[in-house]
Amino acid sequence: VQSLKSELGTPNTLIGSCPACKHNFFNMFCKFTCSPDQSLFVNVTDAAPKNGKLLVTELDQLISEEYGTGLYDSCKEVKFGGANSRAMDLIGGGAKDYHQMLKFLGDKKPLVGSPFQINYPESYEQPSMGPLDMMPKKCNDENPDYRCVCVDCPAVCPELPAVRKSGSCHVGALPCLSFASIFTYSVLLFAFAASVFGHVAWRRYAQHRVERTRLLHESSHSDDEDEGGPVLTEAMRDRPTKRYWINDRCDDLFYRL
């Protein structure tokens, strides 16, 4: 019993999170080891002498299809967080049904598996032998003590309401998203073009306004000069600027004529 407890320590770590799987797995090996009716479902088919004794090297164990299927179904979705994988990859070699799972468990593998070969035949010739009448627990069992969590048993997960298919949005022949993208791009492009053309037009207008103001200023200055004093001729520009007595007398004489 102590040896069995020690051997089941590793499976307990792998599948202990799902009570139904743990119960079915442990119950199969406990019945195999300790059942008083062992001779009705276990048959030794080969033995080898050692130290004056016979050691079992191969045997047949009868498991009902109902129990084998229930065992596999209760364990197939159990997750082992330590390896971030399914526990079935470790305890069943990635089995796809209970036959593959039992074969993996029964194959002789020293140190990491069974110390002797265990076969699980589906039928047996001896009429006095047959599988034990054991009922497997389901991962969504009616008894909450054996019920597994949602991550290890999809059957206990609450059923979500069906997602209603929403209708697609179109503007004419275009989807709404495409139309919105084109419209936004067009508005931004128009705003950019308007700002560029507006800037160019404003610069031209400002330059024209400056030139017009300058021309008006020059024209006004020229008119003021014409109205405010005598027009200088070439003769007047050549007129000596220094005053002489004889010149003053001549000027008076000419003005009197």
Side-chain angles (χ1 to χ4, degrees):
V1 174
Q2 293 297 328
S3 177
L4 176 63
K5 181 179 180 181
S6 176
E7 293 295 332
L8 292 178
T10 299
N12 183 48
T13 303
L14 299 176
I15 61 177
S17 61
C18 181
C21 174
K22 177 182 176 181
H23 171 82
N24 295 333
F25 191 90
F26 280 32
N27 187 48
M28 181 179 69
F29 284 99
C30 288
K31 293 291 186 182
F32 167 74
T33 305
C34 304
S35 174
D37 300 322
Q38 191 181 69
S39 61
L40 299 179
F41 62 93
V42 175
N43 184 30
V44 177
T45 57
D46 196 7
K50 185 177 181 180
N51 299 328
K53 298 181 181 180
L54 289 177
L55 298 180
V56 175
T57 58
E58 186 174 356
L59 58 81
D60 296 335
Q61 181 181 0
L62 303 182
I63 297 293
S64 67
E65 181 177 0
E66 180 183 11
Y67 194 85
T69 302
L71 168 65
Y72 176 78
D73 289 343
S74 65
C75 297
K76 64 181 180 180
E77 297 295 341
V78 176
K79 307 298 187 299
F80 177 56
N84 194 26
S85 63
R86 296 191 312 161
M88 184 59 66
D89 295 337
L90 302 175
I91 65 171
K96 303 301 181 183
D97 54 47
Y98 85 91
H99 298 290
Q100 296 179 7
M101 179 182 180
L102 293 179
K103 184 179 184 308
F104 179 83
L105 292 172
D107 285 344
K108 182 179 179 180
K109 294 184 287 290
L111 301 179
V112 295
S114 176
F116 46 83
Q117 180 65 35
I118 303 177
N119 302 313
Y120 295 93
E122 297 182 29
S123 59
Y124 219 61
E125 297 178 355
Q126 298 185 21
S128 60
M129 296 188 65
L132 284 181
D133 186 17
M134 299 186 297
M135 294 298 297
K137 300 297 182 181
K138 298 180 293 184
C139 66
N140 61 336
D141 201 84
E142 293 79 6
N143 188 341
D145 293 338
Y146 297 103
R147 198 172 300 162
C148 304
V149 295
C150 176
V151 68
D152 293 332
C153 180
V156 303
C157 298
E159 185 176 355
L160 299 177
V163 179
R164 296 179 58 186
K165 185 178 180 181
S166 58
S168 58
C169 175
H170 284 78
V171 178
L174 293 176
C176 290
L177 181 60
S178 300
F179 176 80
S181 301
I182 295 174
F183 179 77
T184 303
Y185 177 77
S186 300
V187 170
L188 293 176
L189 183 62
F190 176 78
F192 176 75
S195 63
V196 171
F197 287 120
H199 179 69
V200 173
W202 172 255
R203 289 191 61 182
R204 290 181 178 178
Y205 171 76
Q207 184 178 3
H208 178 71
R209 184 177 180 183
V210 170
E211 292 178 354
R212 184 178 178 183
T213 303
R214 185 178 61 190
L215 291 175
L216 290 175
H217 179 73
E218 291 178 353
S219 176
S220 175
H221 182 69
S222 177
D223 292 343
D224 291 342
E225 289 180 349
D226 292 343
E227 295 176 359
V231 178
L232 297 177
T233 63
E234 291 296 329
M236 295 181 67
R237 290 190 179 94
D238 293 338
R239 183 179 179 180
T241 58
K242 188 175 181 180
R243 299 180 64 84
Y244 294 95
W245 179 82
I246 187 63
N247 289 339
D248 293 339
R249 294 301 179 185
C250 290
D251 287 339
D252 291 339
L253 181 62
F254 283 119
Y255 285 139
R256 291 176 182 178
L257 293 178

